[in-house]
């Protein structure tokens, strides 16, 4: 009877030992592989980057320590939310987390990451359709300073003929930067305005989509396009035509209409766009004013999108050496101007040739003013 009792004690001890061993090895294995995989699966690389976590830390070789979660983008500016609480704006966007120490294995939750929800890619609520060389990049960079705006920093061209047949909406949405549900995603692709099928495709995706188009004096736009062409030719070691050669046929003494009007005649593009989208869903921005007074245009966008005025003089400054407005982030004292390909010095045009060009554009511009019910102070 006594030996049976001893066997029972031994057996129970053995079972406990085995259970303890299983528990320890489970914890060890999960800490080395399961946990990272779990994190990998709930946070795409893009999302991890957006919350400032470093992807490489999630490899199986490295154990995860709470400290690793504290790696995040430094705040660039400070603002207040709807409840007047101070919040920090970080780059990249969607990052307003005060990192809390993360619990060890098996205890992942959003609150550990300081988030109410995981940022996710969402379809754009607003698209900037063009026009190319009118300041599309500068506008989007300035808008990205707004805490409720998340902008894509490349041109997906999704709705254009080159891309649309090849990719589906899921592909497009996945390409959008991660955002929180109270933020608006914006993308820009200048091919959208000149390829009219894009208007229809965008409308099919979302009929209440907000549309923005930025335009500028068509002669300044043409000079900008020429600057781009000349820089490309020089880069490849080819002789670039002069501006006059490029837009004017010296032999026939006529303008190269197809070349000049492909983008510069704004009227047909707006005519089509406004057949697809109602006028109150379309905001026309002034690219010339964007150069001289960017906040005037940024405010118009904030109002159009129903957002609070957040972007102020504190966020931008005129950079003497760039000759354009640039961004500054008060908290880090960092500044950022657009790259070398934006803000080139334009070709001087002979005054007589310019007069000719102005006269050429007058009827096209008048037609455009009529279509949009708005005049612009161009051609001087
Ligand atoms: N803040 C600031 N910094 C730099 N550049 C500025 C800025 N604001 C407007 N612009 C004008 O933007 C012009 C380029 O327009 P886009 O970005 O639409 O060009 S593109 O079609 O995407 O290539 C670019 O044209 P170029 O001057 O010919 O380079 C600028 O005139």
């Amino acid at each position: 009877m006594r030996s049976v009792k001893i066997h029972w004690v031994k057996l129970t001890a053995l079972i406990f030992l085995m259970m303890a061993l299983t528990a320890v090895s489970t914890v060890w294995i999960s800490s080395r592989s399961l946990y990272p995989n779990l994190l990998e699966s709930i946070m795409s690389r893009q999302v991890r980057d957006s919350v400032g976590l470093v992807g490489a830390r999630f490899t199986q070789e490295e154990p995860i320590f709470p400290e690793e979660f504290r790696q995040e983008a430094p705040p660039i500016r400070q603002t207040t939310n709807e409840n007047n609480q101070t919040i920090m704006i970080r780059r990249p966007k969607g990052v307003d987390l005060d990192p809390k120490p993360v619990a060890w294995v098996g205890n992942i939750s959003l609150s550990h990451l300081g988030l109410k929800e995981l940022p996710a890619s969402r379809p754009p609520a607003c698209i900037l359709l063009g026009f190319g060389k009118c300041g599309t990049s500068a506008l989007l960079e300035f808008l990205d300073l707004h805490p409720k705006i998340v902008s894509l920093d490349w041109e997906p061209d999704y709705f254009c003929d080159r891309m649309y047949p090849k990719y589906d909406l899921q592909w497009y949405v996945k390409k959008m930067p991660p955002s929180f549900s109270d933020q608006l995603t914006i993308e820009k692709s200048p091919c959208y305005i000149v390829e009219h099928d894009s208007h229809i495709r965008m409308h099919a995706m979302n009929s209440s989509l907000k549309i923005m188009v930025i335009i500028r004096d068509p002669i300044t736009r043409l000079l900008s396009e020429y600057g781009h062409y000349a820089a490309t030719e020089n880069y490849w070691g080819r002789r670039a035509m002069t501006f006059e050669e490029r837009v004017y046929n010296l032999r026939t003494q006529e303008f190269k209409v197809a070349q000049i009007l492909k983008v510069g005649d704004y009227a047909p593009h707006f005519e089509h766009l406004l057949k697809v989208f109602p006028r109150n869903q379309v905001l026309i921005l002034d690219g010339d004013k964007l150069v001289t007074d960017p906040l005037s245009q940024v405010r118009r966008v904030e109002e159009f999108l129903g957002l609070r005025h957040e972007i102020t003089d504190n966020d931008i400054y005129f950079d003497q050496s760039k000759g354009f407005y640039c961004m500054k982030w008060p908290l880090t004292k960092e500044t950022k101007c657009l790259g070398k390909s934006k803000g080139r010095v334009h070709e001087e045009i002979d005054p007589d040739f310019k007069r000719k060009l102005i006269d050429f554009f007058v009827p096209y511009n008048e037609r455009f003013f009529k279509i949009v019910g708005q005049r612009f102070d161009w051609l001087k």
Side-chain angles (χ1 to χ4, degrees), residues 115-333:
L115 301 173
K116 283 187 229 83
E117 56 178 330
L118 273 181
S121 296
R122 293 163 214 279
C126 174
I127 299 183
L128 176 59
L129 272 55
F131 283 83
K133 295 291 159 204
C134 289
T136 54
S137 316
L139 179 65
L140 227 59
E141 286 272 359
F142 290 133
L143 291 178
D144 199 55
L145 291 165
H146 199 291
K148 298 285 184 211
I149 294 177
V150 178
S151 67
L152 185 64
D153 58 3
W154 55 283
E155 294 168 6
D157 292 349
Y158 170 69
F159 295 102
C160 288
D161 295 339
R162 189 171 66 81
M163 303 290 281
Y164 196 74
K166 290 194 216 147
Y167 299 97
D168 60 10
L169 194 59
Q170 214 183 356
W171 174 90
Y172 176 62
V173 174
K174 266 195 185 158
K175 294 286 171 203
M176 294 301 137
S179 61
F180 292 113
S181 46
D182 63 348
Q183 291 176 317
L184 298 178
T185 303
I186 302 185
E187 70 111 329
K188 69 125 176 164
S189 300
C191 69
Y192 295 164
I193 188 69
V194 290
E195 287 193 24
H196 295 181
D197 280 351
S198 301
H199 310 168
I200 298 163
R201 291 164 182 163
M202 283 184 285
H203 189 268
M205 176 187 74
N206 176 5
S207 60
S208 50
L209 186 72
K210 300 225 171 178
I211 300 291
M212 298 195 296
V213 187
I214 185 162
I215 52 169
R216 72 191 297 192
D217 181 328
I219 295 183
T220 319
R221 205 209 66 80
L222 198 58
L223 282 166
S224 175
E225 191 182 278
Y226 172 76
H228 184 85
Y229 151 79
T232 313
E233 293 300 281
N234 290 339
Y235 176 82
W236 292 111
R238 295 189 292 244
R239 187 193 84 85
M241 285 186 247
T242 62
F243 177 70
E244 288 191 24
E245 279 169 353
R246 190 153 162 88
V247 300
Y248 194 71
N249 190 328
L250 292 169
R251 196 174 46 80
T252 59
Q253 298 282 296
E254 279 169 355
F255 280 110
K256 294 179 181 171
V257 177
Q259 170 69 34
I260 299 177
L261 294 182
K262 188 172 164 231
V263 179
D265 181 9
Y266 301 142
H269 307 305
F270 276 97
E271 195 169 40
H272 189 270
L273 181 70
L274 294 175
K275 277 187 193 142
V276 178
F277 286 96
R279 181 69 179 87
N280 64 358
Q281 255 169 262
V282 179
L283 178 68
I284 303 172
L285 293 154
D286 186 330
D288 297 303
K289 288 205 178 119
L290 183 78
V291 173
T292 54
D293 178 12
L295 283 184
S296 68
Q297 301 310 294
V298 164
R299 290 217 178 91
R300 292 184 60 210
V301 177
E302 287 173 324
E303 273 160 33
F304 178 63
L305 298 178
L307 299 174
R308 288 197 320 178
H309 292 306
E310 282 274 0
I311 306 166
T312 69
D313 286 335
N314 292 330
D315 306 310
I316 61 163
Y317 73 102
F318 187 79
D319 189 287
Q320 293 296 344
S321 57
K322 176 79 182 166
F324 281 87
Y325 278 90
C326 296
M327 284 147 288
K328 63 176 182 202
W329 296 324
L331 292 179
T332 56
K333 309 265 183 279

